[in-house]
Amino acid sequence: MQSRNDNATSETAVFLADDAGLTNAAKVLSDGGLVAFPTETVYGLGADARRSDAVAGIYAAKGRPSFNPLIVHVADLAAAEALVTFTPQAYRLAQAFWPGALTLVLPLRPDAGISALVTAGLTTLAVRVPDHPVAQGLLRAFGGPVAAPSANPSGRISPTTAAHVMAGLAGRIGGVVDGGACGVGVESTIVDVTGDPVLLRAGGVAAEALEAALGQPLPRPSGTAAITAPGMLASHYAPQGTVRLDAIYARPGEVMLGFGPVAGDLSLSAAGDLVEAAANLFDRLHQLDAMGAHAIAVAPVPEHGLGAAINDRLRRAAAPRS
């Protein structure tokens, strides 16, 4: 059996993560459609990065602002080299962390053939090589670059299972490849390497590991920096309820999301394990939505390693919403 509907919708197919399912999903992409698929970080919503009509479908399905650029996923370094111009520091990071949860922002090649909708009109491109067998299988079956932001309505909680995707986008997209739960659970780290490397977004690769590979500190952009990569909007990854951070206890009416010694109605990791917390983050936020939580208190999470990525997502979830 190659696909199933799971009674969610007659319009969005759910493909199995086998050769037949990946072939069918790749055909949807080749026909200009949208397919969600798992990566090691979160599920991405993919479209042919060379077709403006297909990329426009991503913005329409997500309700995503067109000034927010997209990440292009490719199968390997050679495919990335056909799209962007690498610097020595970019090669150093790619060789150390690809395939993996690292996105590099680099100068776009004039002959790359990437839709201007992908770059939001910029002369740079965010590109990465995912480390997930299903993502790799789909990229190779499709044979081209795939633009893929997270497969959720814009500004909402990122999906880490196919069920999360269907809950937010069923009926708006052609299909989803069900590859199970994502292992990392937060989006990729983004580094601008058009000049001296700058960390644009904390993510699945810790900043400390990047600095060790580069042999130098990795500065962060200012809070007023222009949007040059995905995930830089102030309000993002938001559940339905309001979010209060660094809470030791829940106030009346709040649902507590714990971590480590701070217990809660739910916990990111009772053991205080940052890897487990990152993998659980978006699933716990989805659970809070399902519970109907109107006010959420979140326990403190250490600001190191994957904790930096977790706190980045939590701060954006707690930010004032337009």
Side-chain angles (χ1 to χ4, degrees), residues 97-177:
F97 300 105
W98 277 2
L102 174 66
T103 294
L104 299 178
V105 176
L106 287 161
L108 180 67
R109 289 187 179 275
D111 59 351
I114 297 296
S115 165
L117 288 178
V118 171
T119 62
L122 301 173
T123 59
T124 55
L125 180 69
V127 62
R128 89 173 180 102
V129 178
D131 185 19
H132 192 290
V134 176
Q136 281 286 328
L138 180 59
L139 288 168
R140 295 186 186 282
F142 175 60
V146 173
S150 55
N152 57 292
S154 186
R156 304 290 299 137
I157 307 164
S158 297
T160 55
T161 68
H164 294 163
V165 176
M166 293 296 279
L169 296 177
R172 302 187 195 180
I173 64 176
V176 56
V177 182

Side-chain angles (χ1 to χ4, degrees), residues 25 34 46 52 67 69 75 95 103 109 115 127-128 132 155 161 163 169 174 189 218 245 249 264 277 300 307 322:
L34 305 181
S52 290
F67 55 79
Q95 289 161 0
T103 294
R109 289 187 179 275
S115 165
V127 62
R128 89 173 180 102
H132 192 290
T161 68
L169 296 177
T189 302
L218 194 58
L245 302 180
Y249 58 88
S322 56

Side-chain angles (χ1 to χ4, degrees), residues 199-224:
L199 180 69
L200 298 183
R201 181 178 76 182
V205 177
E208 295 90 337
L210 296 169
E211 291 173 332
L214 290 168
Q216 65 184 70
L218 194 58
R220 281 62 166 167
S222 69
T224 58

Side-chain angles (χ1 to χ4, degrees), residues 3 8 31 36 75 81 109 111 146 155-156 159 170 200 239 246 259 267 302:
S3 66
D31 290 342
E81 289 176 314
R109 289 187 179 275
D111 59 351
V146 173
R156 304 290 299 137
L200 298 183
D246 296 322
F259 176 82
S267 181

Side-chain angles (χ1 to χ4, degrees), residues 2-29:
Q2 297 173 357
S3 66
R4 63 186 190 276
N5 285 330
D6 285 351
N7 298 318
T9 174
S10 60
E11 301 176 15
T12 299
V14 181
F15 299 106
L16 299 178
D18 56 15
D19 289 344
L22 292 175
T23 297
N24 287 340
K27 185 178 186 306
V28 174
L29 292 175

